[in-house]
Amino acid sequence: MKTTNVWDVIVIGGGPAGMMAAATAASRGKRVLLLEKNPSLGKKLLITGGGRCNVTNDKPDIRAMQAQYKGAGKFLFSLFAQHGVRETIEWFESRGIALKEENEGRLFPATNSAKTIFDTLLTEVKKQGVTVRTKAEVCTIIYDSAEAKFDIVLSDKTRLEGKSCVVASGGTSRPETGATGDGYLWLKKLGHAIVPNNFALVPLTLKNTWTKKLSGITLTNIKLTIFTDGKKHSVHEGKILFTHVGVTGPTVLNMSKAVGELLAHSEVTLKLDLFPKMDAGEFKTFLRQKLAANSNKKIKNVLGDIIPTALASSVLSELCIIDDTQCHSVTTEERVRLALFLKAVPLSVKGLLGEDKAVVSSGGVPLTEISFKTMESKIVPNLYIIGDLLNIDRPSGGYSLQLCWSTGFVAGSNA
């Protein structure tokens, strides 16, 4: 095997967490090598947020940010105290990147392009003198306790030596970007436990056929209620997007893990409330008055004033109401059925899309095995584990990337 000189820090994984860690370590005068198995860095970063890159969520209060990570939040105070939302915003803005706030506190680059964020990271990596090696597929990580160093063996048999090793190879979501779970195998051999992997944020597929015509329609300010075997489970509010096979969007993604667990032992139905600010009685009155005020217009046109036109046509068809019917000819029974339907559109869940459509994967290294003051392993000295490799469930909305920025910065500050 060929051997190179010993590096101060070897970072494995050229995603957002790895790039942040590498640049931060190099800024401290460390000699840093960044390894990426793809032909280029940042492949997954460039497709996040639909190519727009949801950088973080505007929750600078540490306690408020912790709460978003539920059970994992108790581990994250020292992490966010060192590099949280405020520091992330300052980091990008000090490098000339303007951010804008959208629905539910999501922060995006003003350019609406993930490439803006990628280019900023890449510029920083180059500026700090990080050595980048692409097409570098790691086979294994060996820790030499006698010499307190790491041997990183690549697929071409090259052996690289490092005093510290930062593993940022990602989970298993979006495997086409290179996130194939290799890091779990390396870390398990080094003595870490690995919580079985599943997919935390994924779109849902539906059994309904009539919704296929709604592909591309987005609904905001809606309410989705999960029912299992006819019993109410939980309520979620926000935004959804219909696809050719089902539904996605922030609200759906955030409930997907719970839905997946329920599907394992029961039937799951979603009830979609298109007008959650009105109770059933208020909406019946609203709809009756709306039709009465437009008695000579066609029902499809009047309904199209309050919900998307394509949805209006599909709903009327599903309820067997002729869409050309003038409002004054709509029967009381039809109007009542329509009102009830719009307050509780039944969507029968078929399943979850696979890892190829997952935004993030859950599972990974137990948080009890990591020191969050430094991101160092409690099992192997000078081994740092960051990003999606950690067993942290999080909602969509910038929370996953914030973990990348925070864990990457803290690891880079200590490696």
Side-chain angles (χ1 to χ4, degrees), residues 14-329:
M19 293 174 78
M20 177 63 83
T24 304
S27 72
R28 298 167 47 229
K30 299 289 184 176
R31 187 166 170 263
V32 180
L33 173 64
L34 176 59
L35 301 175
E36 170 57 51
K37 72 177 180 180
N38 287 317
S40 60
L41 303 177
K43 191 171 181 180
K44 187 174 180 180
L45 178 63
L46 289 168
I47 63 173
T48 60
R52 296 173 60 223
C53 192
N54 188 177
V55 175
T56 186
N57 197 287
D58 192 15
K59 289 184 175 61
D61 180 78
I62 296 175
R63 297 296 185 189
M65 196 63 176
Q66 273 184 289
Q68 303 304 310
Y69 299 88
K70 299 183 180 178
K74 63 184 179 182
F75 293 91
L76 304 178
F77 185 86
S78 62
L79 177 73
F80 290 147
Q82 294 178 75
H83 191 91
V85 173
R86 194 184 309 278
E87 289 76 18
T88 294
I89 293 172
E90 290 174 354
W91 195 94
F92 283 103
E93 288 186 342
S94 68
R95 289 160 177 80
I97 304 303
L99 300 175
K100 60 175 183 175
E101 184 171 340
E102 295 189 8
N103 187 41
E104 299 178 340
R106 291 169 168 80
L107 292 178
F108 292 85
T111 60
N112 280 323
S113 175
K115 191 173 185 300
T116 300
I117 301 302
F118 169 73
D119 287 346
T120 303
L121 283 169
L122 185 59
T123 297
E124 189 68 15
V125 165
K126 292 178 178 178
K127 175 185 174 183
Q128 299 301 340
V130 175
T131 298
V132 177
R133 180 169 174 179
T134 57
K135 298 182 181 179
E137 184 174 358
V138 173
C139 290
T140 190
I141 303 172
I142 301 167
Y143 179 64
D144 184 339
S145 58
E147 296 191 26
K149 67 179 179 64
F150 294 88
D151 289 329
I152 314 297
V153 183
L154 305 184
S155 59
D156 66 0
K157 307 303 181 183
T158 297
R159 182 185 290 266
L160 303 162
E161 297 182 1
K163 297 175 184 177
S164 293
C165 179
V166 180
V167 187
S169 54
T172 57
S173 66
R174 304 309 291 262
E176 76 278 11
T177 66
T180 51
D182 300 338
Y184 298 134
L185 301 177
W186 310 329
L187 295 173
K188 190 172 183 178
K189 287 181 180 179
L190 288 168
H192 276 282
I194 301 296
V195 176
N197 191 269
N198 59 42
F199 310 109
L201 301 177
V202 289
L204 304 180
T205 59
L206 300 176
K207 296 177 183 177
N208 309 73
T209 56
W210 68 274
T211 58
K212 294 181 184 297
K213 298 178 181 178
L214 306 179
S215 181
I217 290 179
T218 297
L219 302 174
T220 58
N221 301 317
I222 54 84
K223 181 170 74 175
L224 276 174
T225 304
I226 301 176
F227 286 86
T228 59
D229 294 331
K231 297 180 181 179
K232 184 176 178 180
H233 176 271
S234 56
V235 178
H236 308 260
E237 298 183 355
K239 175 181 176 181
I240 68 167
L241 168 68
F242 283 93
T243 70
H244 67 289
V245 294
V247 285
T248 185
T251 305
V252 172
L253 295 177
N254 289 339
M255 67 166 65
S256 62
K257 186 179 182 185
V259 170
E261 292 171 349
L262 293 170
L263 281 170
H265 54 77
S266 61
E267 292 287 321
V268 177
T269 300
L270 308 179
K271 294 293 181 70
L272 169 61
D273 184 350
L274 296 170
F275 299 90
K277 292 184 179 180
M278 290 184 270
D279 63 28
E282 290 172 333
F283 184 68
K284 284 182 182 178
T285 300
F286 166 78
L287 185 61
R288 176 174 54 79
Q289 293 174 343
K290 182 75 173 177
L291 299 187
N294 297 276
S295 60
N296 293 321
K297 293 183 178 180
K298 295 177 180 179
I299 180 66
K300 66 178 181 181
N301 295 330
V302 175
L303 192 57
D305 286 340
I306 59 174
I307 62 176
T309 302
L311 177 58
S313 296
S314 294
V315 165
L316 293 171
S317 176
E318 182 69 6
L319 295 178
C320 299
I321 299 173
I322 299 172
D323 59 8
D324 283 339
T325 303
Q326 291 181 311
C327 290
H328 63 73
S329 297

Side-chain angles (χ1 to χ4, degrees), residues 378-400:
K378 293 180 179 179
I379 293 173
V380 181
N382 298 316
L383 175 68
Y384 300 81
I385 303 169
I386 62 178
D388 286 353
L389 287 167
L390 301 166
N391 182 31
I392 301 176
D393 286 343
R394 59 272 192 193
S396 69
Y399 301 104
S400 186

